Amino acid sequence: MTLRWNAEAIWEAVSPLLPGFTVEILPEIDSTNTELMRRARAGQLEPTLLVAERQTAGRGRLGRDWQSDAQDQSPNLTFSLGLPLHPTDWSGLSLAVGLAVVQALHPDLQLKWPNDVWLAGRKLAGILIETASVGELRYAVIGIGINITPRAAADLRTPPAALSELLPDATAPLALQRVVLPLVQAIRAFEREGFAPLRPAFHTRDLLYGHEVVCSDGLVGMARGVDAGGALLVHTDQGLKKISSAEVSVRPRPAPTASLP
Ligand code: BTN
């Protein structure tokens, strides 16, 4: 399937916010994040939007793979935005990015802390943020994968969700066009103001709020939103705990016990 990427319109909208911005669409690459990190380490630090119609070695958070091959001919969206970034405080960046993505795409989308995008109990998009320090400068690579059409569940327990369930005409180019400018605006605002002003908006999309959760370190408690730095607040028997880095899952409710007559 030939895709029509409206790279020029994106470039025109984003350039005023990111001087020196370029847009690049590739038919195939190992990973858009890997490529922008390679370039940054080689001293290429211009703001760049790199889109791949296919990734052969897509990467997810926590060292996982990111599979994005669609079942039909219409590809899923995989792209990375690389840019020099100088926020006063980096905490909460990944939440701010997740929030920009859900707000740009659809009101029904939720965020599973820190930044997984979920629809009706299934994951729809993932975000991987990496940074490279080059001298005084820090270059951030913000990689986003959005399922546009249903894709094979591979080894996932729950089959992923797809944007076409909400927006039947969704394509990768349309989703990209919808997301990039709000994403850049959100990053610029984050640089100036940090995560704190976004806390109420995150709350409205917070999938975990009020659910009993289990963290990868074994901590169990009730999710109570996030603090001004984006840490997850968990109410436990030992009091309120702040989780800054852990994998968190909703604790399945115990099966109801059958009572015999
Ligand atoms: C996750 O949920 O684990 C994060 C997934 C991030 C996937 C995107 S696709 C574009 C960019 N390139 C990659 O290799 N990963 C990110």
Side-chain angles (χ1 to χ4, degrees), residues 155-202:
D155 53 349
L156 300 175
R157 264 176 296 168
T158 319
L163 193 60
S164 61
E165 294 172 40
L166 290 172
L167 307 170
D169 297 331
T171 60
L174 282 175
L176 181 74
Q177 195 147 8
R178 228 168 142 136
V179 163
V180 174
L181 179 60
L183 174 65
V184 172
Q185 288 167 332
I187 293 167
R188 282 292 181 233
F190 176 85
E191 264 187 316
R192 292 189 306 268
E193 297 157 18
F195 175 72
L198 302 174
R199 212 175 150 200
F202 186 91

Side-chain angles (χ1 to χ4, degrees), residues 119-241:
L119 168 66
R122 288 164 301 133
K123 181 161 166 171
L124 183 132
I127 297 164
L128 173 67
I129 302 182
E130 300 176 291
T131 60
S133 292
V134 185
E136 294 287 277
L137 211 125
R138 214 148 154 212
Y139 191 82
V141 175
I142 297 167
I144 303 182
I146 302 176
N147 301 322
I148 305 295
T149 52
R151 65 179 171 89
D155 53 349
L156 300 175
R157 264 176 296 168
T158 319
L163 193 60
S164 61
E165 294 172 40
L166 290 172
L167 307 170
D169 297 331
T171 60
L174 282 175
L176 181 74
Q177 195 147 8
R178 228 168 142 136
V179 163
V180 174
L181 179 60
L183 174 65
V184 172
Q185 288 167 332
I187 293 167
R188 282 292 181 233
F190 176 85
E191 264 187 316
R192 292 189 306 268
E193 297 157 18
F195 175 72
L198 302 174
R199 212 175 150 200
F202 186 91
H203 179 65
T204 64
R205 303 278 189 155
D206 186 351
L207 176 80
L208 296 179
Y209 193 94
H211 286 276
E212 182 131 312
V213 293
V214 189
C215 305
S216 44
D217 59 5
L219 189 86
V220 176
M222 185 74 79
R224 284 285 173 227
V226 296
D227 74 1
L232 181 69
L233 300 172
V234 180
H235 187 79
T236 72
D237 290 345
Q238 292 82 44
L240 196 65
K241 304 275 180 198

Side-chain angles (χ1 to χ4, degrees), residues 31-33 55 58-61 66 78-80 116 123 126-128 143-145:
S31 146
T32 53
N33 261 49
Q55 293 191 127
R59 295 187 292 111
R61 288 177 56 240
W66 180 256
T78 49
F79 70 94
S80 301
D116 281 350
K123 181 161 166 171
I127 297 164
L128 173 67
I144 303 182

Side-chain angles (χ1 to χ4, degrees), residues 24-60:
E24 221 177 300
I25 318 279
L26 301 175
E28 186 175 292
I29 197 160
D30 51 355
S31 146
T32 53
N33 261 49
T34 304
E35 172 64 10
L36 288 187
M37 289 295 284
R38 269 194 298 258
R39 292 185 191 180
R41 291 190 192 107
Q44 293 179 47
L45 302 171
E46 298 76 26
T48 304
L49 175 68
L50 182 64
V51 183
E53 293 183 349
R54 181 159 184 269
Q55 293 191 127
T56 53
R59 295 187 292 111

